[in-house]
Amino acid sequence: MAVRKKKLSDIEFIRTVCALGIVVYHLSCHVEGSFKLFFSYANGQWGDAVVMLFFMMSGSMIYLNNKEVPSLKTFYYKRWKSIFPAFYIGFLAFFMWDVLKYRHFLFREDVNPLSLVLTLFGIDGYFLYAVPSYYILGEWFLGALIMLYALYPALANGVRKRPYITAGIVTALYAWILVYNVFDIKLLRNFFSCLISFYLGILVMKYRDTIKKFPVFIGAAAVMLILAFVKFPVNDNISVKNLIEHVMGLSMYITFIWVGEFITRAKPLKILFEKLGALSYPVFLVQHQIIVRVLAVYSPLGAKDYMLTLAVILAITLASAFLLKLVTDFTVNSGAFKDLENMILGKRKNGNNG
């Protein structure tokens, strides 16, 4: 019998905050007008803080459900199933949209068709800085998350058996890129920057009882508010800014755990955030394409137009995410998919091991 994933109401609240927050941020990135809702705070951009929050939340949830990884095959298959069917379906929909628009299957002349291999593995967005590709949806952080999941069994083993050595290695790798940003990628997107966010999320879940003590919440909330409203004279130092982004992300995460737990005490709100949280991944997949395509038709200039456009985009995004989830659920629950799953995992049709 399959083991149900553990869910936490505060995490479902944070999932919703991340998903809706990235929609608002990306809209603000693309509008031409001066009104940009939740675009920046005193020491950075809200989108970067949300990405830190997203990686930390992902680290927490994978650790909650997989403190140990007894079977690599089962672990990696479940991660693939949770990511790629929805990704492939969403990608195919927007890819065919562009094929029909440009009336040519390989509609980008500047892209090598072999780059579709990167799309197959979900990392075309992450490596776009180095390899032109048919990247359409999923954002760069999907590729980073896939690589973090690939590393997770070793990371979980280290956290369990060699916690201090693991902490030292993760911290040393992060310190290294603060001094020398390898891979020529934006520091925020550097794998080791993503790794320390992911690792901090694991620690938050591991020490959740301590994190949930009231003085910790007060301290985190204070740090979040200070960073949000008090400008620090960092003189555009990218490394210091990245440190601030991680501190901001961590303080937001701890604060939102408390806020989410308080808000979801009301049963209707708990149900609402569970439903919205379940749509968070499809929202991440489709939101950027929807924003770009809506703004190609109409771009708001003032605050009133911005809010109206945001409402339209949110409605289309949630509807599209719901449809994508519906199609994905139908696909992964089909008989053919179940037969393939049983074959991969070496199970009989009744679900028992052979």
Side-chain angles (χ1 to χ4, degrees):
M1 185 176 179
V3 178
R4 290 179 62 85
K5 285 186 177 180
K6 297 176 184 176
K7 286 189 176 183
L8 300 171
S9 296
D10 50 70
I11 296 297
E12 297 307 310
F13 168 78
I14 295 172
R15 284 187 198 275
T16 304
V17 169
C18 286
L20 299 183
I22 209 67
V23 173
V24 176
Y25 174 72
H26 280 150
L27 175 59
S28 294
C29 285
H30 289 286
V31 295
E32 297 178 358
S34 58
F35 182 81
K36 297 177 182 287
L37 186 65
F38 294 124
F39 181 67
S40 61
Y41 61 96
N43 292 283
Q45 295 184 337
W46 284 115
D48 295 340
V50 168
V51 168
M52 299 294 100
L53 183 61
F54 168 74
F55 282 130
M56 291 174 193
M57 178 195 67
S58 299
S60 289
M61 291 310 295
I62 197 70
Y63 181 75
L64 174 66
N65 290 288
N66 300 273
K67 292 182 176 65
E68 297 184 23
V69 183
S71 169
L72 289 177
K73 181 170 70 171
T74 300
F75 174 81
Y76 285 129
Y77 173 74
K78 287 182 177 180
R79 301 289 74 69
W80 179 90
K81 183 180 177 181
S82 69
I83 293 173
F84 284 96
F87 173 72
Y88 291 151
I89 292 168
F91 178 87
L92 183 62
F94 284 108
F95 185 83
M96 293 310 299
W97 183 335
D98 285 335
V99 167
L100 294 173
K101 177 180 178 180
Y102 296 107
R103 299 178 182 277
H104 195 286
F105 185 72
L106 299 175
F107 50 86
R108 290 193 57 183
E109 297 179 356
D110 59 326
V111 174
N112 188 329
L114 291 176
S115 68
L116 284 169
V117 173
L118 295 176
T119 301
L120 181 66
F121 289 99
I123 55 177
D124 51 357
Y126 186 83
F127 288 105
L128 190 63
Y129 77 98
V131 182
S133 67
Y134 284 92
Y135 160 67
I136 294 177
L137 79 167
E139 306 300 335
W140 66 268
F141 45 79
L142 175 62
L145 186 64
I146 289 169
M147 292 187 288
L148 288 168
Y149 281 166
L151 181 65
Y152 177 77
L155 186 60
N157 189 60
V159 169
R160 189 174 71 256
K161 295 183 177 180
R162 298 287 187 273
Y164 298 112
I165 293 175
T166 302
I169 291 173
V170 173
T171 303
L173 290 172
Y174 179 58
W176 176 36
I177 64 164
L178 288 180
V179 177
Y180 180 69
N181 185 19
V182 291
F183 310 129
D184 297 324
I185 193 172
K186 183 179 177 181
L187 185 57
L188 176 76
R189 303 183 181 187
N190 190 296
F191 180 73
F192 297 135
S193 175
C194 302
L195 174 61
I196 198 162
S197 295
F198 189 76
Y199 174 71
L200 287 171
I202 291 174
L203 295 184
V204 167
M205 185 57 66
K206 183 177 181 180
Y207 300 106
R208 184 175 169 86
D209 290 342
T210 300
I211 292 298
K212 292 182 69 176
K213 291 182 179 179
F214 189 68
V216 177
F217 161 67
I218 293 297
V223 170
M224 182 185 73
L225 292 173
I226 290 170
L227 291 178
F229 295 106
V230 180
K231 174 68 176 177
F232 286 82
V234 297
N235 299 321
D236 295 324
N237 186 306
I238 296 174
S239 296
V240 175
K241 283 188 173 183
N242 188 263
L243 277 169
I244 290 175
E245 286 162 352
H246 278 89
V247 173
M248 183 62 165
L250 183 59
S251 61
M252 285 174 62
Y253 189 29
I254 295 171
T255 302
F256 286 172
I257 285 174
W258 273 79
V259 173
E261 188 172 87
F262 177 77
I263 288 176
T264 56
R265 287 177 184 174
K267 190 172 181 179
L269 291 177
K270 179 181 179 180
I271 294 172
L272 173 65
F273 285 114
E274 285 179 352
K275 297 294 184 183
L276 291 174
L279 290 177
S280 61
Y281 177 55
V283 165
F284 276 122
L285 288 179
V286 304
Q287 47 84 30
H288 214 153
Q289 281 296 312
I290 290 171
I291 290 169
V292 170
R293 291 166 198 262
V294 168
L295 292 184
V297 176
Y298 179 76
S299 183
L301 295 177
K304 184 178 179 180
D305 284 350
Y306 178 101
M307 297 305 295
L308 180 61
T309 304
L310 174 60
V312 171
I313 286 173
L314 284 174
I316 296 173
T317 299
L318 288 172
S320 301
F322 178 77
L323 180 60
L324 176 56
K325 186 177 186 303
L326 202 65
V327 175
T328 303
D329 288 346
F330 176 81
T331 301
V332 300
N333 289 310
S334 65
F337 195 96
K338 290 294 184 182
D339 288 343
L340 177 63
E341 180 177 279
N342 290 334
M343 183 179 68
I344 292 172
L345 298 180
K347 295 180 179 180
R348 294 176 181 174
K349 287 189 177 181
N350 62 8
N352 295 325
N353 290 332

